[in-house]
Amino acid sequence: MAVTAPPRSPGSAEAPPPGAGVFGGPGGDTPIRPRSFNAVDAWVLVASIGSSFALIWVIFRLMPISGAVGFLFWWFVSFAFIYWLAMLQLEGPLVAKDRLMAVLIVTGTGILIVPLVSIIVFVTAKGIAYIRPHVFVQTNNLCGQLDGPTCGGIAHAIVGTLEQVAIAMVISVPLAVLCAVYLNEIGGPLRRPVRLFVDAMSGVPSIVAGLFIYAVVVVSLGWGFSGFAAALALSILMLPTVTRTSEEVLRLVPDGLREGSLALGGYEWRTVWNVVLPTARSGLITAVILGVARAVGETAPVLLTAFGAQVMNGNPFHGPQESLPLFIWTYVRFNPGEAPYLRAWMASFVLIVLVLGLFTLARVLGTRTSIERRQKRAAKRDAKRAAAEPGGARA
């Protein structure tokens, strides 16, 4: 019995033959995926690097030109051209463009990573040699100019930094997220002025925020220097960064989720609270991290509001308080000699480790908390449904 194929609709397209290339490879014999990278591509990459190096080396030897920067620049240009030309002949124009863009992206990423890694390595090499256990539990009030870099510690600066950044987060993060929700989810006649004000705050120098808090809180209200005043100045710096980043993250939430929640009868505030914000949780954590990075290394606002202290002050609401950036600036600016500079390098290393630790902890806790909460809620819902069904309690 013969089996006939079902009739095709007039607008349907024929499927390509099994051997045809999906992306128009040479001859159309084999399918080509731009992201695939095999041994032949590796050999082409190595050959392009070597041939471009030889070409530029010969040109620099024959012509009266020199310079390491120029050599590297023209080497990269010739490598990109030779690599693109080789892939064009072997794989076709689509794969050649993809490989060229991959080379440009990887090169740009490397150029950005090299300074960051250099700073971390340099600060680590300078500061890690003088790290001792007592550095994290002692203060520096009994150390003089002639004492070595291992004298005393920076416990008072670590406590001040953690308290000031924590208070600034408590103040700025809820306000920033609410502002982002208003700009992206609610809207209204004040949306454009609020966005303009947030953009203007993004360009405010940090010393202006410190001067504002100094004039209003420290002098006018008479509260004096304190860690809380420094936290207020840092929150002003964090607010626009967290707001703009949170707004961009909320824009990435698919509209279908909002429409589905509203179609099921949910109010707008429940849609934002139960659908939009949980979906954007990872991005909101990134926004908070960027805000902390904006404020944790500031010295000028802390100098004008917390003033600094050589003794431990665990009360951020009363009396001057130290911080790691202010500690570093003080020992570089007002303490001539080798030992103060070494203390500053040690504090710089601790500040980098502290910031990296806080960022990593925020990432891990945010991801795990999101997954664990969803799993627990799903398990509770399944248990309730099973108990509500007839015979579910007996089973």
Side-chain angles (χ1 to χ4, degrees):
M1 180 178 178
V3 180
T4 59
R8 295 180 182 175
S9 59
S12 62
E14 273 191 20
V22 178
F23 292 98
D29 297 327
T30 56
I32 297 174
R33 295 179 176 85
R35 292 185 179 180
S36 62
F37 193 84
N38 50 32
V40 176
D41 296 331
W43 280 109
V44 172
L45 179 64
V46 174
S48 301
I49 295 175
S51 59
S52 59
F53 177 82
L55 175 63
I56 300 302
W57 184 80
V58 170
I59 292 175
F60 268 63
R61 293 285 293 180
L62 296 178
M63 300 181 65
I65 53 178
S66 61
V69 177
F71 182 86
L72 293 176
F73 173 77
W74 289 111
W75 180 19
F76 174 76
V77 172
S78 61
F79 156 70
F81 177 75
I82 293 174
Y83 184 58
W84 172 81
L85 189 62
M87 297 305 300
L88 180 64
Q89 297 297 323
L90 293 175
E91 303 291 351
L94 180 63
V95 179
K97 292 178 182 179
D98 180 81
R99 295 290 191 270
L100 179 61
M101 293 306 300
V103 167
L104 296 178
I105 292 173
V106 172
T107 304
T109 304
I111 293 175
L112 293 177
I113 289 178
V114 166
L116 176 62
V117 174
S118 302
I119 292 174
I120 294 176
V121 171
F122 188 78
V123 174
T124 302
K126 286 282 189 178
I128 197 174
Y130 303 100
I131 295 295
R132 302 290 187 274
H134 68 270
V135 168
F136 302 98
V137 296
Q138 295 181 4
T139 61
N140 221 26
N141 59 328
L142 299 179
C143 297
Q145 296 288 339
L146 300 180
D147 294 323
T150 57
C151 177
I154 54 176
H156 57 303
I158 296 175
V159 171
T161 298
L162 293 177
E163 290 183 350
Q164 293 166 17
V165 172
I167 295 175
M169 290 177 59
V170 171
I171 296 173
S172 62
V173 171
L175 294 177
V177 174
L178 289 176
C179 185
V181 169
Y182 171 77
L183 293 175
N184 190 73
E185 303 295 329
I186 300 175
L190 296 179
R191 173 187 289 181
R192 182 170 296 180
V194 170
R195 182 176 286 113
L196 179 63
F197 184 72
V198 171
D199 292 339
M201 287 183 61
S202 301
V204 173
S206 59
I207 193 171
V208 175
L211 286 172
F212 173 75
I213 298 299
Y214 173 79
V216 175
V217 176
V218 178
V219 177
S220 299
L221 298 180
W223 290 6
F225 298 106
S226 64
F228 178 71
L232 292 177
L234 296 180
S235 64
I236 294 176
L237 301 176
M238 292 177 59
L239 187 61
T241 302
V242 180
T243 301
R244 289 308 307 271
T245 309
S246 300
E247 182 186 2
E248 296 299 329
V249 168
L250 294 179
R251 288 181 180 177
L252 299 178
V253 178
D255 292 334
L257 298 178
R258 300 181 179 89
E259 295 171 358
S261 177
L262 296 174
L264 292 174
Y267 294 102
E268 186 175 7
W269 69 269
R270 289 187 64 88
T271 300
V272 174
W273 182 259
N274 293 330
V275 177
V276 177
L277 293 181
T279 304
R281 180 182 286 111
S282 177
L284 295 177
I285 293 175
T286 302
V288 175
I289 290 174
L290 293 176
V292 173
R294 172 70 174 87
V296 71
E298 291 292 341
T299 304
V302 179
L303 175 64
L304 295 172
T305 52
F307 193 71
Q310 294 296 322
V311 296
M312 176 67 71
N313 181 14
N315 184 6
F317 299 96
H318 179 72
Q321 192 178 50
E322 187 76 351
S323 69
L324 284 172
L326 186 56
F327 180 93
I328 297 168
W329 181 81
T330 302
Y331 274 86
V332 170
R333 177 68 176 83
F334 293 108
N335 291 278
E338 184 179 2
Y341 282 108
L342 296 179
R343 290 197 188 99
W345 284 115
M346 177 185 63
S348 301
F349 171 73
V350 174
L351 179 60
I352 290 179
V353 173
L354 181 64
V355 171
L356 293 178
L358 291 176
F359 288 177
T360 305
L361 182 63
R363 278 292 187 182
V364 173
L365 292 181
T367 305
R368 289 184 178 179
T369 302
S370 175
I371 297 175
E372 290 175 358
R373 285 181 179 177
R374 292 180 182 178
Q375 291 177 348
K376 289 180 180 179
R377 289 175 182 175
K380 289 181 180 180
R381 286 196 300 267
D382 294 341
K384 289 181 180 180
R385 291 174 183 174
E389 292 178 356
R394 298 178 181 177

